[in-house]
Amino acid sequence: MSFDFDHAVVAPFRMQPGLRRLHAGAAQLTPARPGARHQREKLAVLGAFAPQALVADPRFDPMPALHALAAHAATEHPRHLAWDGVRARALGVAVDAAGGVAHESAGAFGQGDEVARCLRALPAGWRLAGLLALAFEEDFAVVDGERGTIPWLAVALPSQWAPEAKVGRPFAEVHAPVADNERLLAAGAHLLRLVTGPERWERFVWTVTPHPRLHAHPARVDSWPVTTGAATIASQAWWRTERQTFIPLPALRQAVFTIRVQVLPLAQAIDAPARAAALHDAIASMSDAVLAYRGLAGVRDTLLAWLRRRADAPRA
């Protein structure tokens, strides 16, 4: 996983920005393997729920940021995506400046028919975004540092938040539902200056959830089982993480925000006593407000009991 466990899972747990600089040469995008989990779920979401995943402030022109994202992707992964300033090609499919879709049968990445059908069903202005979303595991949004808003989102795999409810809203409103958000809100203006400046940044987010899918729109998420024994909870718990990065566009005071979601069974992710101990201490230190916000209030004690036993287990 791209998630940095040792950096991100600490106690006491605090809701804070947690930004760190990306070192030179660090990749920000992950090519989606044809037919693999990220691509399958994104195709399903774009086919059934595109108006919830692809949202924009109608007054905002996303094309400069979208073209910069395509150029960045082609530089970082030239074998996966080609970009000539007018046309992006990946997965055996090309999208031109007018939103025309061409299925290139010689494409090396397969799935071309299904991807082309999906893109043609989207409005023309969203097809380049759709191609980039299907070519990479990451979701994308544009941060506007001038206005302090998120005016454009292509987010097929949200983590229990609704993209359509966030678009165009100020930073403080977007993060108002976050529990214990005082530090985050206080740093809002500074964060916007950082991520829309010349440097590249990343941060990590994690939670434990009963929801097994990458797509976790709040209208379509699973609940914890009624049985609350530690073994039952642990067997149905999932370790959900995000690596978030910012591709800066300082001349525009914008940044492309990338979100890579990964989900693993909890028992697979927490595979060593040290990890179990670290996660135990982080969850044990969460406030009641954070536990409620993350949906962990009802299972906190059983999760802690399971983690304590795992932390104390002798090494194999």
Side-chain angles (χ1 to χ4, degrees), residues 252-271:
L252 299 174
R253 282 209 64 199
Q254 295 175 6
V256 177
F257 178 43
T258 78
I259 311 166
R260 186 189 185 205
V261 174
Q262 294 177 283
V263 178
L264 286 175
L266 183 65
Q268 180 181 334
I270 309 305
D271 57 357

Side-chain angles (χ1 to χ4, degrees), residues 125-146:
W126 280 105
R127 290 173 184 166
L128 176 56
L131 178 64
L132 292 168
L134 293 170
F136 295 96
E137 293 187 359
E138 285 76 13
D139 280 331
F140 306 110
V142 176
V143 178
D144 185 346
E146 189 71 33

Side-chain angles (χ1 to χ4, degrees), residues 282-299:
I283 292 175
S285 67
M286 286 180 176
S287 69
D288 290 343
V290 169
L291 289 166
Y293 173 70
R294 296 198 166 205
L296 295 174
V299 296

Side-chain angles (χ1 to χ4, degrees), residues 40-310:
R40 289 199 315 271
E41 288 204 31
K42 286 189 178 188
L43 281 167
V45 170
L46 294 180
F49 307 112
Q52 291 181 327
L54 307 175
V55 290
D57 182 333
R59 300 165 296 178
F60 179 74
D61 178 10
M63 284 305 166
L66 199 53
H67 289 187
L69 172 60
H72 179 95
T75 299
E76 196 171 279
H77 299 284
R79 295 183 58 193
H80 194 70
L81 186 134
W83 170 249
D84 62 9
V86 177
R87 157 188 169 101
R89 185 175 69 254
L91 304 163
V93 176
V95 172
D96 64 26
V101 177
H103 178 202
E104 301 182 344
S105 58
F109 298 99
Q111 302 293 111
D113 285 332
E114 191 173 4
V115 169
R117 284 196 300 272
C118 177
L119 295 180
R120 289 187 180 116
L122 299 177
W126 280 105
R127 290 173 184 166
L128 176 56
L131 178 64
L132 292 168
L134 293 170
F136 295 96
E137 293 187 359
E138 285 76 13
D139 280 331
F140 306 110
V142 176
V143 178
D144 185 346
E146 189 71 33
R147 295 173 179 80
T149 63
I150 303 175
W152 183 95
L153 300 96
V155 178
L157 310 175
S159 293
Q160 300 200 51
W161 57 277
E164 70 273 21
K166 304 296 184 182
V167 64
R169 296 174 63 186
F171 181 91
E173 289 185 16
V174 168
H175 294 92
V178 177
D180 292 357
N181 61 8
E182 294 82 4
R183 293 186 182 191
L184 192 60
L185 296 184
H190 177 62
L191 288 174
L192 289 170
R193 284 194 299 272
L194 282 182
V195 302
T196 60
E199 296 185 278
R200 300 185 306 149
W201 301 86
E202 69 178 348
R203 67 186 296 262
F204 300 95
V205 178
W206 61 268
T207 193
V208 179
T209 173
H211 185 76
R213 292 175 296 283
L214 298 170
H215 171 66
H217 189 285
R220 293 175 288 278
V221 294
D222 292 7
S223 301
W224 289 104
V226 175
T227 303
T228 57
T232 300
I233 291 293
S235 70
Q236 299 186 42
W238 298 82
W239 177 241
R240 186 180 185 95
T241 65
E242 295 182 8
R243 182 199 183 216
Q244 304 173 355
T245 81
F246 298 85
I247 300 171
L249 310 170
L252 299 174
R253 282 209 64 199
Q254 295 175 6
V256 177
F257 178 43
T258 78
I259 311 166
R260 186 189 185 205
V261 174
Q262 294 177 283
V263 178
L264 286 175
L266 183 65
Q268 180 181 334
I270 309 305
D271 57 357
R275 284 195 168 191
L279 183 57
H280 174 280
D281 293 348
I283 292 175
S285 67
M286 286 180 176
S287 69
D288 290 343
V290 169
L291 289 166
Y293 173 70
R294 296 198 166 205
L296 295 174
V299 296
R300 172 189 182 273
D301 291 343
T302 49
L303 278 176
L304 291 179
W306 181 83
L307 289 165
R308 192 177 303 112
R309 288 199 296 270
R310 205 162 181 88

